[in-house]
Amino acid sequence: MSSPTTAKRVSMLTLGCARNEVDSEELAGRLTAGGWRLVDDGEDADVIVVNTCGFVESAKKDSVDTLLAAADSGAKVVAVGCMAERYGTELAESLPEAQAVLGFDQYANLADRLDDVVAGRKVESHVPVDRRTLLPITPVQRQEKAQDVEVPGHGWGPRVLRTRLEDRPVAPLKIASGCDRRCAFCAIPSFRGAFVSRHPDEIVAEAEWLAAQGVREVFLVSENSTSYAKDLPAELGGLENLLERLAKVVDRVRVSYLQPAETKPSLVKAIATTPNVARYFDMSFQHSSEKVLRRMRRFGSTDSFLALVQQIRTLAPEAGIRSNVIVGFPGETEEDVAELERFLTGARLDAVGVFGYSDEDGTEAEGLDGKLDADTIAERVARISNLVEELIAQRAEDRVGDEVVVLVEHEEDDESDCVGRAAHQAPEVDGECVITNPEGLSVGDLVRCRVDAAEGVDLVVTALEVLPR
């Protein structure tokens, strides 16, 4: 442990989505400003801060396992993040190994709370509330009130309160927090709160800072990017205007978390045609049966979704389109699964995550009738997964002979290849490109490549030209 003459040492562990990654880097910035020194190895830390995920049951289990493993290191352990915000005192009571369980309201004072933990002072555990109740129902009334509510990643002003925890050439950039949708299966709005956009000047300033750190690609994250700017003055412009500004700052801008029912033709055109914006559409379809979507409190149908896919591919045939789908939702029939298969076969998406339905605490779907047994859900997950695997492999095969621009992200251990991503591939979820002639290439290079082969969703490519920075 540290003595009064040595710096206090803290290690950050992050679970969950890219939004949590941004939050962890904000917390790292706050901690370094508060006199704490970041260390990579938990064995060398006085305190390990675990940024938990509370989205689904498997993520909660991973968070608890990580907290317990951190406690085994001998360091003091502090839980933050979505699971800590969602369960607070309940988590603290069931997990005495953690010295503190803190919600978002303590983020601004985290350095002080860690001082308390190290000094052995008692830190009160977070008491959960429905964060949707903290802001006005009407979006245009939220910005002023949001100054009084702790919303991670917001309200920094012109300064950037962030410390990078990795030196990758790609970084998430938060454009909004919270969600106003009421999807029957999702608990996120209750602990992330109502939707709040960040001011575009603040976002652009952070992108400039990231570019100065060597970042070549930023991917914009939120709970619902298509809602961006609905709570801002009209003169500030919407997501389309933000993309145009960011594209002048970094080499590649990627948008994530788009809602199909809210995706306007003007946004499709902006993503498909703006230079330096990746032709990439992360569409939250979730299903395509109109009946199932209505039970999910969502909108759309197979035909409307196929029309949206056609709209995208008319403007940008090479565009990448990915999505997630949930199978086994309460009331789903064989006809509904067949309708989902019709959509997936017609859409020929580049990447699809397939998830089996499970109850989530406090959601509407938890109380729905028509629940399917675990074996039926598992069978449907396997069925749709097999179809998806075949379809995305075909889509990748269709790219053989094309040219793609690859961002080099790392070298293989034997340095025989280097690995990166094309514009249609998002970090960690959509496959990668293996460059077979890596001589002279460096991490962070953008390289024009020829696609020589496909291996499942991954591409094997030959470097043709390094593009200027």
Side-chain angles (χ1 to χ4, degrees):
M1 296 299 172
S2 61
S3 69
T5 59
T6 61
K8 300 165 291 187
R9 298 162 301 183
V10 60
S11 178
M12 297 284 309
L13 298 178
T14 306
L15 295 97
C17 64
R19 299 184 294 273
N20 259 17
E21 292 179 28
V22 179
D23 290 351
S24 285
E25 293 195 348
E26 175 191 348
L27 293 177
R30 293 184 182 279
L31 289 171
T32 54
W36 285 81
R37 178 166 64 89
L38 294 167
V39 295
D40 292 330
D41 190 347
E43 298 290 340
D44 296 328
D46 298 296
V47 180
I48 299 176
V49 176
V50 180
N51 191 352
T52 60
C53 178
F55 181 41
V56 293
E57 205 59 42
S58 60
K60 297 175 204 173
K61 182 180 184 304
D62 287 345
S63 293
V64 170
D65 289 346
T66 302
L67 287 162
L68 292 173
D72 287 342
S73 71
K76 296 183 183 297
V77 176
V78 172
V80 298
C82 291
M83 189 175 183
E85 175 66 38
R86 184 176 181 184
Y87 294 104
T89 49
E90 180 183 344
L91 177 62
E93 290 168 3
S94 63
L95 200 72
E97 291 85 354
Q99 277 68 44
V101 175
L102 305 177
F104 300 148
D105 293 331
Q106 289 291 348
Y107 278 20
N109 305 307
L110 186 62
D112 292 338
R113 296 294 76 76
L114 297 198
D115 288 342
D116 291 338
V117 166
V118 169
R121 294 187 287 270
K122 181 176 175 57
V123 177
E124 295 296 329
S125 298
H126 167 65
V127 179
V129 298
D130 186 335
R131 294 191 74 84
R132 291 171 294 191
T133 64
L134 302 181
L135 292 172
I137 294 176
T138 306
V140 295
Q141 297 177 336
R142 289 180 189 159
Q143 285 293 322
E144 183 176 353
K145 179 64 176 175
Q147 305 303 312
D148 302 323
V149 176
E150 186 66 31
V151 182
H154 289 247
W156 299 350
R159 75 195 192 286
V160 176
L161 189 60
R162 180 174 179 176
T163 294
R164 295 218 67 200
L165 296 174
E166 297 180 333
D167 59 359
R168 298 169 60 197
V170 58
L173 176 57
K174 185 179 289 190
I175 63 171
S177 287
C179 186
D180 288 340
R181 299 183 71 88
R182 294 296 180 265
C183 301
F185 54 81
C186 183
I188 288 175
S190 65
F191 56 85
R192 277 288 184 178
F195 184 89
V196 184
S197 302
R198 292 181 69 191
H199 194 286
D201 291 349
E202 189 176 304
I203 298 169
V204 172
E206 188 172 345
E208 291 172 340
W209 179 83
L210 288 168
Q213 308 294 310
V215 169
R216 304 295 301 278
E217 175 184 320
V218 296
F219 62 103
L220 310 184
V221 298
S222 70
E223 276 73 27
N224 177 7
S225 296
T226 36
S227 284
Y228 178 73
K230 73 176 185 179
D231 53 333
L232 296 174
E235 59 268 21
L236 292 178
L239 183 55
E240 298 90 334
N241 183 67
L242 178 63
L243 290 175
E244 185 176 349
R245 293 182 64 184
L246 290 172
K248 297 174 182 177
V249 174
V250 291
D251 293 289
R252 182 187 282 172
V253 182
R254 183 182 304 277
V255 187
S256 58
Y257 304 106
L258 300 173
Q259 292 292 339
E262 298 178 34
T263 302
K264 300 177 293 185
S266 59
L267 179 57
V268 173
K269 183 177 180 180
I271 296 174
T273 63
T274 303
N276 290 359
V277 174
R279 276 58 165 159
Y280 177 81
F281 294 81
D282 177 14
M283 310 299 303
S284 179
F285 290 120
Q286 302 300 346
H287 211 284
S288 73
S289 164
E290 192 167 3
K291 176 171 70 69
V292 173
L293 288 167
R294 293 299 178 272
R295 291 205 96 197
M296 288 179 167
R297 301 289 185 190
R298 296 176 66 82
F299 302 94
S301 65
T302 295
D303 291 335
S304 67
F305 289 167
L306 288 175
L308 176 57
V309 169
Q310 183 58 44
Q311 181 185 358
I312 292 168
R313 295 222 165 108
T314 297
L315 288 169
E318 80 285 6
I321 309 175
R322 78 140 4 245
S323 191
N324 295 321
V325 296
I326 299 172
V327 294
F329 192 77
E332 182 189 66
T333 64
E334 281 292 330
E335 290 75 17
D336 296 322
V337 179
E339 188 71 358
L340 178 58
E341 290 172 323
R342 181 169 80 90
F343 166 68
L344 293 170
T345 303
R348 299 181 70 251
L349 305 178
D350 293 83
V352 183
V354 182
F355 299 91
Y357 170 80
S358 61
D359 285 336
E360 272 301 302
D361 299 340
T363 61
E364 180 185 354
E366 188 181 23
L368 290 178
D369 58 10
K371 296 285 176 64
L372 304 180
D373 62 77
D375 289 343
T376 299
I377 293 175
E379 183 275 326
R380 292 181 181 179
V381 168
R383 172 176 157 188
I384 296 299
S385 296
N386 289 336
L387 174 63
V388 161
E389 185 175 347
E390 178 182 349
L391 292 170
I392 63 176
Q394 291 174 2
R395 176 70 175 158
E397 189 72 30
D398 289 344
R399 294 186 185 274
V400 174
D402 291 351
E403 289 189 0
V404 293
V405 175
V406 176
L407 175 62
V408 179
E409 294 197 12
H410 63 89
E411 296 179 348
E412 296 287 22
D413 291 338
D414 60 3
E415 299 185 357
S416 60
D417 301 315
C418 60
V419 178
R421 292 175 299 100
H424 71 279
Q425 297 169 317
E428 300 178 3
V429 293
D430 295 341
E432 57 191 16
C433 291
V434 178
I435 303 175
T436 57
N437 57 333
E439 297 81 8
L441 301 182
S442 302
V443 171
D445 284 342
L446 279 168
V447 186
R448 185 170 62 86
C449 298
R450 181 187 65 245
V451 180
D452 297 327
E455 297 178 352
V457 72
D458 298 328
L459 302 179
V460 179
V461 303
T462 297
L464 302 176
E465 175 191 12
V466 177
L467 302 180
R469 289 180 178 265

